Amino acid sequence: AVFCIPPLSVVGLSEEQAIEQAKNDILVFTSTFNPMKNTISGRQEKTVMKLVVDAETDKVLGASMCGPDAPEIIQGIAVALKCGATKAQLDSTVGIHPSTAEEFCTM
């Protein structure tokens, strides 16, 4: 986590590292998201997020995020990565609404 403005956080493999190290093809999911809490207040503060997934096993290999609350949100994703979470498991998780964290469950 880099505590700058906006904060930046990364866990696991980057897209480039996954291409080099993965035994299978990878899938990359990206999103530019404005959480509902910003929409309601009229703020246009976007967050950029990325998930890197093993195409064959569906295992999440890495995640990155740039935007408000990125360090805290990535900490939760880090636990999921250590437990071997799959993209399907993230998709089946109820997102923390109305924060940006919910987007990791809908990408």
Side-chain angles (χ1 to χ4, degrees), residues 58 85-95 102-107:
D58 199 40
T86 64
K87 175 74 167 70
Q89 289 171 321
L90 283 182
D91 291 347
S92 70
T93 303
V94 175
E102 69 183 318
E103 184 68 1
F104 276 115
C105 302
T106 59
M107 290 172 85

Side-chain angles (χ1 to χ4, degrees), residues 22-81:
K23 297 175 184 166
N24 306 310
D25 290 336
I26 63 165
L27 301 171
V28 178
F29 300 87
T30 60
S31 178
T32 302
F33 188 72
N34 192 28
M36 184 174 282
K37 70 179 185 177
N38 286 351
T39 304
I40 292 170
S41 67
R43 294 178 68 191
Q44 293 301 313
E45 188 173 38
K46 300 277 187 195
T47 298
V48 179
M49 308 163 91
K50 181 187 281 190
L51 277 175
V52 180
V53 177
D54 183 297
E56 185 176 317
T57 66
D58 199 40
K59 185 175 176 181
V60 178
L61 302 174
S64 57
M65 179 177 173
C66 181
D69 305 318
E72 290 83 2
I73 292 169
I74 285 291
Q75 183 177 17
I77 301 295
V79 172
L81 257 66

